[in-house]
Amino acid sequence: MTMTSSETKSDRIPGTRLGYRFNIIGMVGLSVILLWVLIAIFAPLVIPYPVGEIVDLDYFGPMSRDFWLGSDYLGRDMLSRILMGARYTVGISLAAVTIACFSGVMLGMIAAVAGGWLDTVLSRFLDALSSIPSKLFGLVIVAAVGSSIPVLILTLSVIYIPGAYRFARALAVNINAMDFITVARIRGESTLYLIRSEILPNIVGPVLADLGIRFVFIVLLLSGLSFLGLGVQPPYADWGALVRENIGGLPFGAPAVMAPSFAIASLTISVNLLIDNLPKKIRDRSE
């Protein structure tokens, strides 16, 4: 039986049956991201050794059958510490980017629809907040208040709310000027209806791409704070803290310092690959 051209094309492109055309690179990026998310969720069930237990008589031990990623500066298993570190790196970053993007997008749409003094006040306040360098702001807040996990999440969220606000507001202003919005206003629709049913569905694709980009920035900022000693505190450790505490093994080429660096790189690069290869149905709702 001869297949039609549309059936052949549908079979060739992964994800087409679901209505989304993921290419191979995008699927690789998505697979790595999902792998790290699953590791973050189930890490306590899969780690080979307790993260705080000294299991190797040698420090900065090499990779071996017993220690797949070697041991750290105290002789603890690095594979176990990296798997548990994923809980903090992925978890904190995901919580922070969710709060930042949700708050920024909602404020941006409200400002675009309401206009007037509310738009002016929100824009000027968030512009002033965004003028503070992100790393400096994070260092000051964490050094003053402490580096507990809730403080880290809120600090990272506040840093990236202004960018999410500006992005969402720019998109919402363009949508708000279109004819179907004018028709909805004439019908007497409320501001909440305009935001929920008219504006948000038309900006969700770019907003998802922006969320991925900000997730990468938050992962890197969190890792930077942890490398400086102001991130996740012992006995817990995210990937940035693992690099910091094992930096002494760098002259020896110890896997204890290279493995968490590769973990950070694999996550951030995979998110970028996924964003660059999002299906056109998500990127362009007009198709």
Side-chain angles (χ1 to χ4, degrees):
M1 182 176 64
T2 305
M3 292 187 296
T4 64
S5 59
S6 60
E7 289 174 338
T8 306
K9 184 178 180 181
S10 177
D11 290 338
R12 288 200 309 264
I13 302 176
T16 303
R17 292 181 180 273
L18 299 176
Y20 297 96
R21 297 180 180 179
F22 281 96
N23 60 27
I24 298 299
I25 297 177
M27 293 192 70
V28 169
L30 179 61
S31 300
V32 174
I33 294 168
L34 291 177
L35 174 63
W36 281 122
V37 170
L38 291 174
I39 288 174
I41 295 173
F42 298 108
L45 303 177
V46 298
I47 56 174
Y49 300 97
V51 291
E53 183 177 334
I54 297 176
V55 293
D56 191 2
L57 298 178
D58 191 14
Y59 63 92
F60 293 131
M63 292 184 289
S64 64
R65 181 184 304 175
D66 294 327
F67 308 109
W68 290 5
L69 294 179
S71 58
D72 70 356
Y73 73 107
L74 292 178
R76 296 171 295 189
D77 178 53
M78 277 305 300
L79 177 60
S80 301
R81 292 183 65 76
I82 288 175
L83 295 181
M84 284 298 293
R87 303 199 93 187
Y88 300 102
T89 298
V90 176
I92 292 175
S93 300
L94 189 58
V97 76
T98 301
I99 296 172
C101 286
F102 177 81
S103 303
V105 169
M106 289 304 298
L107 291 174
M109 291 190 297
I110 291 171
V113 174
W117 66 268
L118 181 61
D119 183 16
T120 301
V121 170
L122 280 175
S123 297
R124 297 295 79 77
F125 172 74
L126 292 174
D127 284 345
L129 185 61
S130 66
S131 66
I132 305 173
S134 59
K135 288 186 176 61
L136 178 61
F137 182 83
L139 287 171
V140 170
I141 297 299
V142 172
V145 180
S147 56
S148 64
I149 291 177
V151 169
L152 285 173
I153 292 174
L154 291 176
T155 301
L156 294 169
S157 301
V158 170
I159 288 173
Y160 287 100
I161 283 176
Y165 167 83
R166 289 198 306 269
F167 184 78
R169 181 186 174 277
L171 294 172
V173 164
N174 291 332
I175 300 297
N176 191 51
M178 293 185 175
D179 292 339
F180 65 89
I181 297 291
T182 304
V183 172
R185 290 183 186 274
I186 294 173
R187 290 200 312 261
E189 303 292 355
S190 64
T191 300
L192 179 60
Y193 174 87
L194 294 176
I195 291 173
R196 184 188 68 247
S197 301
E198 301 290 353
I199 294 179
L200 181 58
N202 287 284
I203 68 173
V204 66
V207 163
L208 288 176
D210 182 65
L211 184 146
I213 294 172
R214 297 192 190 283
F215 176 81
V216 171
F217 291 155
I218 288 177
V219 168
L220 296 177
L221 180 56
L222 173 63
S223 299
L225 291 175
S226 296
F227 185 80
L228 295 173
L230 294 173
V232 179
Q233 298 298 305
Y236 311 111
D238 66 338
W239 293 336
L242 291 178
V243 175
R244 174 181 60 86
E245 65 186 23
N246 292 295
I247 195 67
L250 188 60
F252 313 111
V257 66
M258 294 186 292
S261 302
F262 289 141
I264 296 171
S266 68
L267 179 60
T268 55
I269 291 173
S270 296
V271 173
N272 282 319
L273 290 177
L274 178 61
I275 294 170
D276 290 340
N277 295 277
L278 281 174
K280 291 184 178 181
K281 190 172 181 179
I282 296 177
R283 289 181 295 174
D284 187 359
R285 291 180 58 86
S286 64
E287 293 196 357

